[in-house]
Protein backbone atom coordinates (compact mmCIF):
# COMPACT_ATOMS: atom_id res chain seq x y z
CA UNK A 1 0.00 0.00 0.00
CA UNK A 2 1.34 3.40 -1.03
CA UNK A 3 2.16 5.71 1.90
CA UNK A 4 3.52 9.18 2.60
CA UNK A 5 6.28 9.62 5.18
CA UNK A 6 6.82 12.99 6.80
CA UNK A 7 9.48 14.02 9.28
CA UNK A 8 7.93 17.14 10.78
CA UNK A 9 9.26 20.30 12.36
CA UNK A 10 10.69 22.02 9.31
CA UNK A 11 9.30 25.56 8.76
CA UNK A 12 8.12 25.75 5.15
CA UNK A 13 9.69 28.52 3.10
CA UNK A 14 9.72 29.65 -0.50
CA UNK A 15 7.26 29.82 -3.35
CA UNK A 16 4.57 27.33 -4.36
CA UNK A 17 2.28 27.64 -7.38
CA UNK A 18 -1.35 26.61 -7.01
CA UNK A 19 -2.73 24.43 -9.80
CA UNK A 20 -6.19 24.32 -11.31
CA UNK A 21 -9.27 23.73 -9.17
CA UNK A 22 -10.72 20.24 -8.90
CA UNK A 23 -14.24 21.41 -8.26
CA UNK A 24 -14.15 23.98 -11.06
CA UNK A 25 -12.66 21.49 -13.54
CA UNK A 26 -15.17 18.72 -12.98
CA UNK A 27 -18.14 21.10 -13.20
CA UNK A 28 -16.91 22.65 -16.45
CA UNK A 29 -16.06 19.22 -17.88
CA UNK A 30 -19.67 18.11 -17.33
CA UNK A 31 -20.77 21.31 -19.07
CA UNK A 32 -18.50 20.47 -22.01
CA UNK A 33 -20.69 17.42 -22.74
CA UNK A 34 -23.38 19.85 -23.94
CA UNK A 35 -21.10 21.16 -26.64
CA UNK A 36 -20.68 19.41 -29.99
CA UNK A 37 -17.04 19.83 -31.00
CA UNK A 38 -13.70 20.20 -29.26
CA UNK A 39 -13.62 22.12 -25.99
CA UNK A 40 -10.17 23.18 -24.80
CA UNK A 41 -9.69 23.64 -21.06
CA UNK A 42 -6.51 25.11 -19.63
CA UNK A 43 -5.25 24.61 -16.08
CA UNK A 44 -7.07 21.31 -15.46
CA UNK A 45 -5.20 19.41 -12.72
CA UNK A 46 -3.96 15.85 -13.30
CA UNK A 47 -5.81 14.31 -10.37
CA UNK A 48 -7.85 11.16 -9.84
CA UNK A 49 -11.31 12.80 -10.02
CA UNK A 50 -10.45 14.36 -13.38
CA UNK A 51 -9.14 11.02 -14.66
CA UNK A 52 -12.27 9.23 -13.44
CA UNK A 53 -14.52 11.73 -15.21
CA UNK A 54 -12.49 11.40 -18.41
CA UNK A 55 -12.89 7.63 -18.15
CA UNK A 56 -16.66 8.11 -17.81
CA UNK A 57 -16.49 10.30 -20.93
CA UNK A 58 -14.55 7.60 -22.79
CA UNK A 59 -17.37 5.13 -22.11
CA UNK A 60 -19.79 7.69 -23.58
CA UNK A 61 -17.69 7.90 -26.74
CA UNK A 62 -16.12 11.24 -25.84
CA UNK A 63 -12.43 11.35 -26.69
CA UNK A 64 -10.07 13.49 -24.65
CA UNK A 65 -6.39 14.12 -24.31
CA UNK A 66 -3.98 16.36 -22.46
CA UNK A 67 -2.11 18.23 -25.18
CA UNK A 68 1.61 18.94 -25.03
CA UNK A 69 0.92 22.48 -23.79
CA UNK A 70 -0.97 20.95 -20.84
CA UNK A 71 -4.46 21.93 -22.04
CA UNK A 72 -7.21 19.34 -21.91
CA UNK A 73 -9.05 18.73 -25.17
CA UNK A 74 -12.53 17.18 -24.91
CA UNK A 75 -14.14 16.10 -28.15
CA UNK A 76 -17.88 15.72 -27.57
CA UNK A 77 -18.80 16.01 -31.25
CA UNK A 78 -21.04 12.94 -31.05
CA UNK A 79 -21.64 10.55 -28.16
CA UNK A 80 -22.04 6.82 -28.77
CA UNK A 81 -24.30 6.15 -25.75
CA UNK A 82 -26.04 7.97 -22.91
CA UNK A 83 -25.62 5.10 -20.47
CA UNK A 84 -22.78 5.96 -18.10
CA UNK A 85 -20.27 3.56 -16.53
CA UNK A 86 -21.99 3.13 -13.19
CA UNK A 87 -19.00 1.94 -11.16
CA UNK A 88 -17.01 4.99 -12.24
CA UNK A 89 -19.87 7.41 -11.51
CA UNK A 90 -20.03 5.97 -7.97
CA UNK A 91 -16.38 6.95 -7.36
CA UNK A 92 -17.01 10.69 -7.29
CA UNK A 93 -19.71 13.27 -6.66
CA UNK A 94 -19.55 15.65 -9.61
CA UNK A 95 -20.06 12.81 -12.10
CA UNK A 96 -23.79 13.19 -11.40
CA UNK A 97 -23.88 16.48 -13.35
CA UNK A 98 -23.43 14.39 -16.49
CA UNK A 99 -27.11 13.42 -16.13
CA UNK A 100 -28.41 16.93 -16.88
CA UNK A 101 -25.98 17.40 -19.75
CA UNK A 102 -26.94 14.11 -21.43
CA UNK A 103 -30.65 14.78 -20.99
CA UNK A 104 -30.30 18.30 -22.39
CA UNK A 105 -28.47 17.03 -25.44
CA UNK A 106 -30.01 13.62 -26.18
CA UNK A 107 -33.25 13.47 -24.18
CA UNK A 108 -32.35 10.29 -22.32
CA UNK A 109 -29.67 9.13 -19.88
CA UNK A 110 -28.76 6.48 -17.31
CA UNK A 111 -26.58 7.64 -14.44
CA UNK A 112 -25.90 5.94 -11.10
CA UNK A 113 -26.25 7.70 -7.76
CA UNK A 114 -22.87 9.37 -7.25
CA UNK A 115 -20.19 8.70 -4.65
CA UNK A 116 -17.58 11.10 -3.28
CA UNK A 117 -16.03 11.65 0.12
CA UNK A 118 -17.77 10.00 3.07
CA UNK A 119 -18.57 13.18 5.00
CA UNK A 120 -22.33 12.92 5.43
CA UNK A 121 -25.47 11.68 3.70
CA UNK A 122 -25.00 13.79 0.55
CA UNK A 123 -28.34 13.11 -1.13
CA UNK A 124 -29.15 14.32 -4.67
CA UNK A 125 -32.77 15.31 -4.01
CA UNK A 126 -32.25 18.98 -4.99
CA UNK A 127 -30.79 17.88 -8.33
CA UNK A 128 -33.66 15.48 -8.96
CA UNK A 129 -36.42 17.91 -7.99
CA UNK A 130 -34.86 20.61 -10.16
CA UNK A 131 -34.56 18.36 -13.21
CA UNK A 132 -38.15 17.20 -12.72
CA UNK A 133 -39.34 20.83 -12.56
CA UNK A 134 -37.61 21.36 -15.90
CA UNK A 135 -39.88 18.67 -17.30
CA UNK A 136 -37.85 15.48 -17.08
CA UNK A 137 -39.18 12.05 -16.07
CA UNK A 138 -36.82 10.25 -13.73
CA UNK A 139 -37.04 6.85 -12.10
CA UNK A 140 -34.58 5.22 -9.75
CA UNK A 141 -33.98 1.48 -10.12
CA UNK A 142 -31.22 -0.46 -8.40
CA UNK A 143 -29.31 2.74 -7.63
CA UNK A 144 -29.46 4.01 -11.22
CA UNK A 145 -31.41 7.05 -12.40
CA UNK A 146 -33.14 6.62 -15.75
CA UNK A 147 -34.13 9.99 -17.23
CA UNK A 148 -36.17 11.04 -20.23
CA UNK A 149 -37.21 14.41 -21.55
CA UNK A 150 -38.24 15.66 -24.98
CA UNK A 151 -36.68 19.04 -24.30
CA UNK A 152 -36.20 20.76 -20.96
CA UNK A 153 -38.66 23.59 -20.42
CA UNK A 154 -37.61 26.65 -18.43
CA UNK A 155 -39.08 26.94 -14.92
CA UNK A 156 -38.76 28.83 -11.63
CA UNK A 157 -36.66 26.77 -9.24
CA UNK A 158 -35.80 27.45 -5.63
CA UNK A 159 -33.16 25.42 -3.81
CA UNK A 160 -33.80 24.44 -0.18
CA UNK A 161 -30.09 25.01 0.49
CA UNK A 162 -27.55 26.82 -1.71
CA UNK A 163 -26.04 23.57 -2.99
CA UNK A 164 -23.00 24.02 -5.23
CA UNK A 165 -23.60 20.79 -7.14
CA UNK A 166 -27.33 21.34 -7.68
CA UNK A 167 -26.74 24.92 -8.86
CA UNK A 168 -24.14 23.70 -11.38
CA UNK A 169 -26.25 20.76 -12.51
CA UNK A 170 -29.39 22.83 -13.07
CA UNK A 171 -27.46 25.57 -14.88
CA UNK A 172 -26.08 22.94 -17.26
CA UNK A 173 -29.50 21.35 -17.77
CA UNK A 174 -31.28 24.67 -18.38
CA UNK A 175 -28.82 26.05 -20.95
CA UNK A 176 -30.63 24.50 -23.89
CA UNK A 177 -34.12 24.49 -22.35
CA UNK A 178 -37.07 26.10 -24.09
CA UNK A 179 -37.59 29.48 -22.40
CA UNK A 180 -36.33 31.02 -19.18
CA UNK A 181 -35.17 29.27 -16.02
CA UNK A 182 -34.71 31.13 -12.75
CA UNK A 183 -32.83 29.42 -9.91
CA UNK A 184 -33.27 31.05 -6.51
CA UNK A 185 -31.24 30.49 -3.35
CA UNK A 186 -28.42 29.17 -5.49
CA UNK A 187 -24.78 28.78 -4.50
CA UNK A 188 -22.46 31.74 -5.12
CA UNK A 189 -19.01 30.11 -5.15
CA UNK A 190 -16.34 31.30 -7.61
CA UNK A 191 -16.75 27.92 -9.36
CA UNK A 192 -20.42 28.75 -10.05
CA UNK A 193 -19.43 32.04 -11.64
CA UNK A 194 -16.73 30.37 -13.70
CA UNK A 195 -19.07 27.62 -14.93
CA UNK A 196 -21.55 30.31 -16.03
CA UNK A 197 -18.74 32.14 -17.81
CA UNK A 198 -17.68 28.95 -19.54
CA UNK A 199 -21.23 28.17 -20.68
CA UNK A 200 -21.72 31.78 -21.83
CA UNK A 201 -18.47 31.54 -23.80
CA UNK A 202 -20.10 28.53 -25.52
CA UNK A 203 -23.14 30.64 -26.42
CA UNK A 204 -25.40 30.20 -23.37
CA UNK A 205 -27.29 33.15 -21.85
CA UNK A 206 -26.79 33.04 -18.10
CA UNK A 207 -27.06 36.09 -15.83
CA UNK A 208 -26.68 36.54 -12.10
CA UNK A 209 -24.07 33.86 -11.35
CA UNK A 210 -22.36 34.88 -8.11
CA UNK A 211 -25.66 36.21 -6.70
CA UNK A 212 -28.40 34.15 -5.12
CA UNK A 213 -30.60 34.28 -8.26
CA UNK A 214 -29.43 32.94 -11.60
CA UNK A 215 -31.44 33.47 -14.78
CA UNK A 216 -30.89 31.28 -17.81
CA UNK A 217 -32.45 32.00 -21.20
CA UNK A 218 -32.37 28.72 -23.10
CA UNK A 219 -30.57 28.68 -26.45
CA UNK A 220 -30.82 26.27 -29.39
CA UNK A 221 -27.13 25.49 -29.83
CA UNK A 222 -23.82 25.77 -28.05
CA UNK A 223 -20.41 25.93 -29.69
CA UNK A 224 -16.94 24.93 -28.50
CA UNK A 225 -14.55 27.34 -26.83
CA UNK A 226 -11.19 27.58 -25.07
CA UNK A 227 -11.42 28.34 -21.38
CA UNK A 228 -9.33 28.67 -18.20
CA UNK A 229 -10.09 26.72 -15.03
CA UNK A 230 -9.70 28.73 -11.79
CA UNK A 231 -6.74 28.29 -9.45
CA UNK A 232 -7.71 25.90 -6.65
CA UNK A 233 -8.71 27.98 -3.60
CA UNK A 234 -8.73 24.89 -1.38
CA UNK A 235 -5.24 23.88 -2.42
CA UNK A 236 -4.15 27.49 -1.77
CA UNK A 237 -5.78 27.36 1.66
CA UNK A 238 -4.06 24.08 2.44
CA UNK A 239 -0.62 25.54 1.60
CA UNK A 240 -1.47 28.62 3.68
CA UNK A 241 -2.26 26.43 6.69
CA UNK A 242 0.88 24.35 6.08
CA UNK A 243 2.97 27.55 6.16
CA UNK A 244 1.21 28.74 9.30
CA UNK A 245 1.42 25.49 11.28
CA UNK A 246 5.14 25.06 10.60
CA UNK A 247 6.00 28.68 11.48
CA UNK A 248 6.97 29.19 7.87
CA UNK A 249 6.97 31.94 5.26
CA UNK A 250 5.46 30.96 1.91
CA UNK A 251 4.37 32.84 -1.18
CA UNK A 252 1.41 31.02 -2.74
CA UNK A 253 1.40 32.02 -6.39
CA UNK A 254 -1.88 32.21 -8.36
CA UNK A 255 -3.88 32.16 -5.10
CA UNK A 256 -6.80 34.59 -5.44
CA UNK A 257 -7.40 36.49 -2.20
CA UNK A 258 -10.99 37.34 -3.21
CA UNK A 259 -11.81 33.60 -3.36
CA UNK A 260 -10.43 32.88 0.11
CA UNK A 261 -11.42 35.88 2.25
CA UNK A 262 -12.90 33.99 5.23
CA UNK A 263 -9.91 31.62 5.39
CA UNK A 264 -7.41 34.47 5.22
CA UNK A 265 -9.36 36.42 7.87
CA UNK A 266 -9.32 33.40 10.22
CA UNK A 267 -5.59 32.94 9.64
CA UNK A 268 -5.07 36.56 10.67
CA UNK A 269 -7.25 36.01 13.73
CA UNK A 270 -4.95 33.10 14.59
CA UNK A 271 -2.01 35.51 14.52
CA UNK A 272 -0.72 34.66 11.06
CA UNK A 273 0.50 37.42 8.75
CA UNK A 274 -1.24 37.41 5.39
CA UNK A 275 -0.59 39.81 2.53
CA UNK A 276 -1.37 39.85 -1.16
CA UNK A 277 1.89 39.88 -3.08
CA UNK A 278 2.41 39.82 -6.83
CA UNK A 279 -0.02 37.31 -8.30
CA UNK A 280 -0.48 35.49 -5.02
CA UNK A 281 -0.65 35.55 -1.25
CA UNK A 282 2.22 35.53 1.24
CA UNK A 283 1.58 33.70 4.49
CA UNK A 284 4.01 34.04 7.37
CA UNK A 285 4.01 33.17 11.04
CA UNK A 286 6.20 35.24 13.30
CA UNK A 287 4.46 34.53 16.63
CA UNK A 288 5.80 31.51 18.53
CA UNK A 289 2.26 30.17 19.17
CA UNK A 290 -0.94 30.16 17.15
CA UNK A 291 -3.90 32.02 18.67
CA UNK A 292 -7.11 30.04 19.23
CA UNK A 293 -10.05 31.00 17.08
CA UNK A 294 -13.62 29.79 16.56
CA UNK A 295 -14.94 28.69 13.19
CA UNK A 296 -18.40 28.02 11.83
CA UNK A 297 -18.58 26.58 8.33
CA UNK A 298 -21.13 28.12 5.99
CA UNK A 299 -21.90 28.12 2.27
CA UNK A 300 -19.75 30.61 0.34
CA UNK A 301 -18.94 33.40 1.14
CA UNK A 302 -18.78 31.91 4.64
CA UNK A 303 -15.93 29.81 5.95
CA UNK A 304 -15.67 26.79 3.58
CA UNK A 305 -16.41 23.36 5.01
CA UNK A 306 -13.54 22.01 2.88
CA UNK A 307 -11.04 24.12 4.86
CA UNK A 308 -12.51 23.16 8.24
CA UNK A 309 -10.34 20.05 8.38
CA UNK A 310 -6.88 21.53 7.61
CA UNK A 311 -7.76 24.47 9.86
CA UNK A 312 -8.57 22.14 12.73
CA UNK A 313 -5.06 20.71 12.37
CA UNK A 314 -3.65 24.23 12.77
CA UNK A 315 -5.72 24.90 15.88
CA UNK A 316 -4.47 21.74 17.60
CA UNK A 317 -1.29 23.74 18.30
CA UNK A 318 -3.01 26.97 19.38
CA UNK A 319 -2.47 28.46 22.82
CA UNK A 320 -5.98 27.88 24.17
CA UNK A 321 -9.35 26.46 23.19
CA UNK A 322 -10.97 26.76 19.75
CA UNK A 323 -14.47 25.67 18.73
CA UNK A 324 -15.32 24.46 15.25
CA UNK A 325 -18.96 24.16 14.20
CA UNK A 326 -19.72 22.27 11.00
CA UNK A 327 -23.07 23.33 9.53
CA UNK A 328 -22.81 21.98 5.96
CA UNK A 329 -22.17 18.25 6.52
CA UNK A 330 -23.37 16.18 9.47
CA UNK A 331 -20.29 13.99 9.83
CA UNK A 332 -17.16 15.76 8.72
CA UNK A 333 -15.15 15.10 11.89
CA UNK A 334 -13.96 11.53 11.32
CA UNK A 335 -10.40 12.75 10.69
CA UNK A 336 -10.15 14.10 14.26
CA UNK A 337 -9.38 10.61 15.60
CA UNK A 338 -6.34 10.60 13.28
CA UNK A 339 -5.19 13.98 14.64
CA UNK A 340 -5.61 12.57 18.16
CA UNK A 341 -3.11 9.84 17.26
CA UNK A 342 -0.61 12.67 16.72
CA UNK A 343 -1.35 14.01 20.20
CA UNK A 344 -4.13 16.51 19.46
CA UNK A 345 -6.81 17.13 22.09
CA UNK A 346 -10.16 17.22 20.28
CA UNK A 347 -13.63 16.47 21.66
CA UNK A 348 -16.41 16.13 19.11
CA UNK A 349 -20.05 16.48 20.11
CA UNK A 350 -22.54 16.40 17.28
CA UNK A 351 -21.58 19.12 14.85
CA UNK A 352 -19.04 20.82 17.14
CA UNK A 353 -15.41 20.05 17.83
CA UNK A 354 -13.69 21.53 20.87
CA UNK A 355 -9.96 21.75 20.23
CA UNK A 356 -7.72 22.36 23.22
CA UNK A 357 -4.35 23.41 21.91
CA UNK A 358 -1.34 21.30 22.87
CA UNK A 359 2.31 22.35 22.90
CA UNK A 360 3.45 19.72 20.45
CA UNK A 361 2.31 16.92 18.16
CA UNK A 362 4.32 13.75 17.69
CA UNK A 363 4.53 11.53 14.60
CA UNK A 364 2.50 8.30 14.38
CA UNK A 365 0.90 6.07 11.73
CA UNK A 366 -2.34 7.74 10.55
CA UNK A 367 -4.73 7.43 7.65
CA UNK A 368 -6.64 9.80 5.37
CA UNK A 369 -10.34 9.40 6.14
CA UNK A 370 -11.36 11.55 3.12
CA UNK A 371 -9.81 14.15 0.84
CA UNK A 372 -9.64 17.18 3.16
CA UNK A 373 -9.24 14.95 6.21
CA UNK A 374 -6.12 13.73 4.42
CA UNK A 375 -4.96 17.32 3.98
CA UNK A 376 -5.47 17.81 7.73
CA UNK A 377 -3.20 14.92 8.68
CA UNK A 378 -0.55 16.03 6.19
CA UNK A 379 -0.35 19.56 7.58
CA UNK A 380 -0.41 18.27 11.16
CA UNK A 381 2.42 15.84 10.34
CA UNK A 382 4.48 18.70 8.90
CA UNK A 383 4.50 20.23 12.37
CA UNK A 384 4.75 17.00 14.40
CA UNK A 385 7.99 15.88 15.98
CA UNK A 386 9.41 12.68 14.47
CA UNK A 387 8.06 10.61 11.63
CA UNK A 388 4.42 10.26 10.54
CA UNK A 389 3.35 7.51 8.18
CA UNK A 390 0.19 8.32 6.23
CA UNK A 391 -1.95 5.72 4.44
CA UNK A 392 -5.26 6.07 2.57
CA UNK A 393 -3.66 8.13 -0.18
CA UNK A 394 -6.42 7.32 -2.67
CA UNK A 395 -8.38 10.13 -1.01
CA UNK A 396 -5.59 12.70 -1.28
CA UNK A 397 -4.88 11.72 -4.88
CA UNK A 398 -8.45 12.60 -5.82
CA UNK A 399 -7.83 16.28 -5.28
CA UNK A 400 -4.22 17.34 -4.72
CA UNK A 401 -1.86 17.45 -7.67
CA UNK A 402 1.83 16.84 -6.87
CA UNK A 403 1.27 17.49 -3.18
CA UNK A 404 4.42 15.71 -2.03
CA UNK A 405 6.70 17.39 -4.58
CA UNK A 406 5.14 20.80 -3.90
CA UNK A 407 5.67 20.51 -0.14
CA UNK A 408 9.19 19.19 -0.65
CA UNK A 409 9.87 22.26 -2.80
CA UNK A 410 9.06 24.32 0.31
CA UNK A 411 11.59 22.38 2.37
CA UNK A 412 9.32 19.73 3.91
CA UNK A 413 10.88 16.37 4.69
CA UNK A 414 8.35 14.27 2.85
CA UNK A 415 8.46 11.18 0.63
CA UNK A 416 6.01 8.77 -0.98
CA UNK A 417 6.77 5.09 -0.55
CA UNK A 418 7.50 4.70 -4.27
CA UNK A 419 10.23 7.37 -3.92
CA UNK A 420 11.42 5.84 -0.68
CA UNK A 421 11.88 2.47 -2.39
CA UNK A 422 13.70 4.13 -5.29
CA UNK A 423 15.99 5.80 -2.76
CA UNK A 424 16.91 2.38 -1.34
CA UNK A 425 14.73 2.60 1.75
CA UNK A 426 16.29 5.84 2.92
CA UNK A 427 14.53 7.26 5.98
CA UNK A 428 12.76 10.55 5.44
CA UNK A 429 15.51 13.05 5.75
CA UNK A 430 17.71 11.28 8.21
CA UNK A 431 19.98 14.33 7.92
N1 LIG B 1 -27.48 18.50 -0.31
C1 LIG B 1 -28.71 17.91 -0.20
N2 LIG B 1 -29.33 17.53 -1.35
C2 LIG B 1 -28.79 17.74 -2.57
C3 LIG B 1 -27.52 18.35 -2.67
C4 LIG B 1 -26.89 18.73 -1.51
O1 LIG B 1 -29.22 17.71 0.89
O2 LIG B 1 -29.41 17.36 -3.57
C5 LIG B 1 -26.77 18.91 0.92
C6 LIG B 1 -25.47 18.13 1.10
O3 LIG B 1 -25.70 16.87 1.69
C7 LIG B 1 -24.68 19.07 1.97
C8 LIG B 1 -25.12 20.44 1.47
O4 LIG B 1 -26.35 20.24 0.79
O5 LIG B 1 -25.08 18.91 3.30
C9 LIG B 1 -24.15 21.12 0.52
O6 LIG B 1 -23.84 20.25 -0.53
P1 LIG B 1 -23.42 20.78 -1.96
O7 LIG B 1 -24.40 20.26 -2.94
O8 LIG B 1 -23.16 22.24 -1.92
O9 LIG B 1 -22.05 20.02 -2.16
P2 LIG B 1 -21.54 19.27 -3.44
O10 LIG B 1 -21.87 20.05 -4.65
O11 LIG B 1 -21.93 17.85 -3.37
C10 LIG B 1 -19.30 20.56 -3.53
C11 LIG B 1 -17.86 20.16 -3.49
C12 LIG B 1 -17.49 19.69 -2.11
C13 LIG B 1 -17.81 20.77 -1.10
C14 LIG B 1 -19.27 21.21 -1.22
C15 LIG B 1 -19.63 22.38 -0.32
C16 LIG B 1 -17.51 19.37 -5.74
C17 LIG B 1 -17.20 18.24 -6.62
N3 LIG B 1 -17.63 19.11 -4.45
O12 LIG B 1 -20.00 19.36 -3.20
O13 LIG B 1 -16.10 19.48 -2.16
O14 LIG B 1 -17.58 20.30 0.20
O15 LIG B 1 -19.55 21.58 -2.58
O16 LIG B 1 -18.87 23.47 -0.61
O17 LIG B 1 -17.62 20.50 -6.19
C18 LIG B 1 -14.04 18.61 -1.54
O18 LIG B 1 -13.56 19.25 -2.48
O19 LIG B 1 -13.36 18.03 -0.66
C19 LIG B 1 -15.49 18.51 -1.44
C20 LIG B 1 -16.12 17.61 -0.68
Amino acid sequence: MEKIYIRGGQPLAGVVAVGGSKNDSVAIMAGALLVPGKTILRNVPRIRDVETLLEIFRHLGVASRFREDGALEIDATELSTTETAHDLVRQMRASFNVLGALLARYGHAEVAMPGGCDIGARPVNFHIKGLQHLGCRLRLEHGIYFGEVKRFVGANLSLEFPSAGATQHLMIAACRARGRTVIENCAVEPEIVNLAEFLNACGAHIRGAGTSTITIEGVEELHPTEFNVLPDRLQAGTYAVAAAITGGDVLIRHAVAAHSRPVLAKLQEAGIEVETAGDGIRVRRVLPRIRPTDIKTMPHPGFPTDMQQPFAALLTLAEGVSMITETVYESRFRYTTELEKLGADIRVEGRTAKITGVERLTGAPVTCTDLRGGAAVVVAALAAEGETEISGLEHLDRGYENLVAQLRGLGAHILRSSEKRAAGGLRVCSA
Side-chain angles (χ1 to χ4, degrees):
M1 198 201 329
E2 182 83 343
K3 289 184 180 160
I4 288 176
Y5 300 88
I6 297 176
R7 179 164 291 276
Q10 181 68 28
L12 299 190
V15 182
V16 66
V18 171
S21 156
K22 165 178 88 79
N23 293 344
D24 195 34
S25 298
V26 292
I28 290 176
M29 286 165 67
L33 281 191
L34 287 174
V35 185
K38 286 184 184 168
T39 294
I40 311 292
L41 300 178
R42 284 182 293 265
N43 206 26
V44 175
R46 307 287 286 262
I47 50 172
R48 182 75 56 83
D49 274 9
V50 165
E51 281 165 17
T52 305
L53 196 49
L54 290 178
E55 190 60 17
I56 292 168
F57 284 9
R58 202 178 60 74
H59 280 82
L60 293 170
V62 174
S64 65
R65 67 179 179 113
F66 278 98
R67 301 190 319 196
E68 264 175 29
D69 64 359
L72 173 64
E73 183 181 284
I74 297 173
D75 184 352
T77 304
E78 198 54 71
L79 276 59
S80 53
T81 175
T82 57
E83 181 186 338
T84 52
H86 304 313
D87 287 347
L88 293 171
V89 168
R90 290 189 189 103
Q91 288 176 26
M92 57 186 289
R93 175 79 177 174
S95 52
F96 200 56
N97 293 351
V98 164
L99 175 63
L102 294 176
L103 286 168
R105 192 154 163 205
Y106 289 99
H108 48 84
E110 289 178 30
V111 181
M113 292 190 77
C117 283
D118 181 10
I119 48 181
R122 307 189 81 182
V124 287
N125 53 329
F126 305 158
H127 301 236
I128 297 303
K129 270 191 211 165
L131 293 176
Q132 286 171 332
H133 272 108
L134 294 175
C136 156
R137 287 179 304 284
L138 279 161
R139 64 191 159 85
L140 177 65
E141 275 176 26
H142 309 295
I144 317 269
Y145 277 103
F146 295 80
E148 268 182 60
V149 66
K150 205 164 165 208
R151 182 177 178 189
F152 281 127
V153 179
N156 289 337
L157 312 174
S158 178
L159 298 178
E160 285 168 47
F161 183 91
S163 151
T167 304
Q168 290 160 338
H169 199 168
L170 297 173
M171 250 161 60
I172 289 171
C175 267
R176 294 182 54 182
R178 192 168 68 239
R180 173 183 297 175
T181 300
V182 179
I183 314 174
E184 284 176 349
N185 195 31
C186 54
V188 297
E189 274 89 345
E191 295 81 20
I192 304 290
V193 177
N194 212 39
L195 173 64
E197 285 178 7
F198 164 72
L199 293 169
N200 283 344
C202 297
H205 287 176
I206 302 175
R207 283 178 285 122
T211 75
S212 61
T213 303
I214 294 179
T215 305
I216 304 148
E217 307 286 350
V219 295
E220 294 295 322
E221 281 299 332
L222 295 174
H223 54 76
T225 192
E226 289 198 25
F227 199 76
N228 287 340
V229 162
L230 293 174
D232 195 313
R233 63 192 166 99
L234 305 171
Q235 209 185 97
T238 304
Y239 290 131
V241 170
I245 198 171
T246 59
D249 182 353
V250 172
L251 174 64
I252 307 163
R253 284 189 58 218
H254 310 319
V256 182
H259 294 172
S260 296
R261 294 236 183 274
V263 174
L264 301 180
K266 281 294 169 187
L267 279 171
Q268 285 171 320
E269 226 176 279
I272 310 300
E273 290 185 7
V274 175
E275 56 177 317
T276 48
D279 76 336
I281 300 170
R282 183 176 173 195
V283 177
R284 191 157 65 112
R285 186 173 118 212
V286 286
L287 297 178
R289 292 290 302 271
I290 293 148
R291 292 199 196 114
T293 172
D294 295 343
I295 285 169
K296 188 174 183 180
T297 66
M298 297 289 274
H300 193 81
F303 190 93
T305 167
D306 303 315
M307 282 306 299
Q308 177 260 103
Q309 296 158 296
F311 224 90
L314 176 70
L315 297 175
T316 63
L317 287 171
E319 197 168 18
V321 175
S322 308
M323 302 296 286
I324 297 191
T325 308
E326 172 59 63
T327 74
V328 179
Y329 293 108
E330 63 275 17
S331 57
R332 208 170 192 177
F333 283 127
R334 277 178 57 213
Y335 69 99
T336 56
T337 52
E338 302 304 309
L339 293 182
E340 284 178 65
K341 291 177 189 166
L342 301 176
D345 181 351
I346 309 179
R347 292 289 160 268
V348 176
E349 250 183 60
R351 288 181 171 234
T352 304
K354 177 182 173 194
I355 305 179
T356 306
V358 293
E359 289 208 3
R360 64 192 191 114
L361 299 174
T362 54
V366 288
T367 192
C368 305
T369 52
D370 59 87
L371 172 56
R372 309 296 168 192
V377 293
V378 168
V379 295
L382 291 170
E385 289 171 17
E387 190 171 307
T388 297
E389 182 186 294
I390 304 174
S391 54
L393 303 191
E394 65 279 7
H395 297 292
L396 268 181
D397 291 343
R398 286 187 41 209
Y400 287 93
E401 188 179 17
N402 292 330
L403 181 65
V404 166
Q406 296 266 58
L407 290 172
R408 198 161 44 228
L410 294 172
H413 298 156
I414 180 168
L415 276 181
R416 264 182 101 114
S417 34
S418 45
E419 299 168 318
K420 201 171 173 175
R421 276 193 301 277
L426 214 68
R427 288 187 65 74
V428 190
C429 195
S430 40

